[in-house]
């Protein structure tokens, strides 16, 4: 019985890794779709989000069944509860990738992103994909140091997000209000996607240590100052 129980815990972790990889791929493909006005690619991202939703629903059902049957405590309880929260982060990440793809579909055959912002949006999309890939690695390895690095990596996304807004606020903006709204939404989607990747990593820190990432980082900062 205990072997079956731990196999079920492991399978929940496997589902989280699969979700992370799916949504990482989705944000990459959605970025290509919106930059190239590729309707077929955008449609595949929109349709594929159902698999992420299905994985989350299945994970939730298995986690709740484990809570009811096994009444886990200590580390095992943290695994189940934290997995539920991570699955919610990953499901929301999939929704954000889908939003990018839906914007590509909405503006087709036109391109939602002006040529002078292609490089910035491409960077944001690539960074979002890398962050989620690293989050998947954190789920697999339970590497606390790697998990804590994600928040530093996310600073690059914040920098890109600010640069995007500076471009929008520039007096030389000539692409109209509709495009400005589209670009504003895109920036928000990528920024929130990155936040969810960081959140997943932070939850792994809590799973492994029983402490919140912010507390560990604060303690480290105090130690360095001393």
């Amino acid at each position: 019985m205990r072997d079956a129980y731990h196999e079920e815990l492991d399978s929940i972790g496997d589902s989280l890794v699969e979700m992370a990889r799916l949504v990482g791929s989705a944000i990459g493909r959605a970025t290509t779709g919106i930059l190239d006005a590729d309707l077929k690619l955008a449609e595949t991202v929109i349709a594929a989000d159902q698999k992420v939703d299905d994985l989350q629903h299945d994970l939730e059902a298995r986690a709740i069944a484990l809570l009811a049957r096994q009444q886990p405590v200590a580390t095992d309880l943290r695994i189940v509860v934290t997995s539920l929260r991570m699955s919610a982060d990953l499901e929301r990440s999939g929704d954000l990738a889908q939003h990018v793809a839906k914007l590509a579909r909405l503006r087709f055959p036109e391109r939602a992103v002006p040529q002078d912002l292609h490089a910035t949006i491409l960077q944001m999309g690539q960074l979002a994909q890398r962050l989620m890939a690293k989050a998947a690695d954190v789920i697999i390895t339970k590497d606390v140091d790697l998990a804590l690095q994600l928040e530093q990596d996310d600073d690059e996304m914040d920098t890109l997000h600010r640069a995007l807004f500076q471009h929008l606020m520039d007096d030389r903006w000539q692409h109209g209000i509709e495009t400005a709204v589209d670009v504003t939404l895109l920036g928000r989607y990528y920024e929130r996607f990155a936040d969810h990747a960081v959140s997943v990593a932070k939850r792994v820190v809590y799973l492994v240590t029983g402490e919140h990432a912010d507390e560990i980082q604060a303690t480290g900062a105090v130690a360095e100052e001393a």
Side-chain angles (χ1 to χ4, degrees):
M1 287 293 292
R2 296 300 295 176
D3 286 345
Y5 166 54
H6 286 290
E7 284 177 8
E8 189 64 21
L9 283 177
D10 289 343
S11 76
I12 287 174
D14 292 342
S15 293
L16 289 170
V17 173
E18 185 178 2
M19 289 179 71
R21 288 174 173 166
L22 285 172
V23 300
S25 172
I27 198 68
R29 290 182 293 117
T31 301
T32 301
I34 199 156
L35 292 178
D36 294 349
D38 188 329
L39 181 60
K40 286 186 177 180
L41 186 58
E43 292 287 8
T44 66
V45 174
I46 294 166
D49 188 56
Q50 185 60 50
K51 184 172 182 181
V52 176
D53 293 344
D54 291 343
L55 280 168
Q56 188 203 18
H57 296 157
D58 178 64
L59 186 152
E60 285 182 343
R62 284 184 287 140
I64 291 169
L66 272 179
L67 288 171
R69 291 197 316 266
Q70 302 291 342
Q71 298 181 348
V73 295
T75 301
D76 288 350
L77 180 59
R78 283 209 307 273
I79 291 172
V80 176
V81 173
T82 304
S83 295
L84 285 168
R85 291 173 176 168
M86 284 194 283
S87 74
D89 279 314
L90 294 169
E91 188 276 333
R92 183 58 185 146
S93 299
D95 288 345
L96 291 164
Q98 188 184 57
H99 291 341
V100 174
K102 284 183 174 180
L103 186 55
R105 182 174 67 181
L106 177 66
R107 298 303 176 211
F108 182 82
E110 302 299 324
R111 300 190 182 205
V113 180
Q115 188 63 44
D116 52 340
L117 285 178
H118 269 221
T120 302
I121 294 298
L122 179 61
Q123 284 180 275
M124 294 181 85
Q126 291 174 337
L127 178 58
Q129 191 169 7
R130 289 199 305 272
L131 286 169
M132 192 55 75
K134 188 175 282 191
D137 288 342
V138 167
I139 296 170
I140 295 168
T141 63
K142 307 293 189 295
D143 186 328
V144 171
D145 290 334
L146 183 63
L148 293 174
Q149 286 174 19
L150 252 81
E151 190 157 19
Q152 296 175 1
D153 296 340
D154 183 48
D155 290 343
E156 185 181 345
M157 183 66 81
D158 294 336
T159 299
L160 289 167
H161 196 205
R162 286 193 297 271
L164 201 63
F165 268 97
Q166 288 171 359
H167 201 103
L168 288 167
M169 298 301 292
D170 195 306
D171 291 339
R172 292 169 292 179
W173 177 262
Q174 298 178 349
H175 304 295
I177 294 174
E178 183 178 86
T179 301
V181 171
D182 288 347
V183 171
T184 299
L185 287 173
L186 278 175
R188 182 60 174 163
Y189 297 153
Y190 288 116
E191 189 264 340
R192 288 300 298 144
F193 187 99
D195 285 347
H196 284 297
V198 172
S199 179
V200 167
K202 284 184 172 182
R203 295 190 195 284
V204 173
V205 173
Y206 176 71
L207 187 157
V208 173
T209 67
E211 297 182 73
H212 294 287
D214 294 343
E215 295 169 353
I216 293 174
Q217 288 169 325
T219 302
V222 170
E224 287 176 7
E225 288 174 6

